Amino acid sequence: NLYLGGGAFIGGTATANKLDDYEEGTWTPVLTAASGAPSSVGYSTQSGSYVKIGKMVTVWCRITLSSLSGGSGNGQISGLPYTSENHDSLRGNVGVMLDQLDSDNRQCFIQVDLSATTMTLVKDAGQSSSHAGLEIGELTGNTDIRFQYSYTV
């Protein structure tokens, strides 16, 4: 076992090379919507965990709905453990497993919102070169959402 009181320097002694920020924990993902929160959301599974190393946070999420009613706008996951950085050029997206949708949208992604603790569900827009938000109404009362995502803070 190795115990360090003030951090470890990796690849040099400059401040930027100091690893002094490591954290593991859990978070509670909440399904919401951009324009109007659902009036009722039931969960049979609602779990999240994360690892933070320096400015990089990696989150894992699983939400399985047992019921869903109301809401409008793009589906979102809120409750991220840290506020994301406001840096659009570093923002990516990652495929998300979505099962039991109310439509044929099987090519879905999730993207962290800038300077926020929310993520937006996105779907492939088909032949166009852009993507569109996955509306909360396209989810059902038994939708299953799973993903792993890394973002900077």
Side-chain angles (χ1 to χ4, degrees):
N1 293 338
L2 176 65
Y3 298 96
L4 301 171
F9 290 89
I10 299 172
T13 58
T15 302
N17 296 51
K18 185 176 181 183
L19 176 60
D20 61 351
D21 185 10
Y22 178 88
E23 180 181 331
E24 295 182 23
T26 60
W27 64 288
T28 303
V30 176
L31 179 67
T32 189
S35 300
S39 55
S40 174
V41 181
Y43 301 94
S44 57
T45 305
Q46 185 182 21
S47 64
S49 60
Y50 72 91
V51 172
K52 180 179 183 288
I53 302 173
K55 292 178 51 128
M56 183 65 66
V57 179
T58 300
V59 294
W60 291 264
C61 172
R62 178 157 188 206
I63 291 176
T64 306
L65 300 178
S66 58
S67 64
L68 175 65
S69 62
S72 61
N74 297 337
Q76 294 183 315
I77 306 294
S78 67
L80 289 172
Y82 290 92
T83 300
S84 66
E85 188 173 38
N86 187 12
H87 205 303
D88 196 38
S89 65
L90 295 178
R91 179 172 67 164
N93 59 43
V94 66
V96 59
M97 194 214 84
L98 282 169
D99 196 18
Q100 301 296 326
L101 291 176
D102 194 31
S103 63
D104 291 332
N105 295 306
R106 296 289 181 227
Q107 186 96 9
C108 298
F109 307 92
I110 195 156
Q111 180 174 285
V112 70
D113 299 322
L114 299 177
S115 298
T117 57
T118 56
M119 305 177 88
T120 297
L121 295 168
V122 180
K123 64 184 174 185
D124 186 356
Q127 299 295 327
S128 72
S129 61
S130 63
H131 300 296
L134 182 69
E135 297 286 323
I136 191 80
E138 296 179 78
L139 306 179
T140 67
N142 56 354
T143 295
D144 191 16
I145 302 170
R146 303 178 199 194
F147 63 87
Q148 172 189 336
Y149 190 93
S150 295
Y151 66 101
T152 55
V153 297

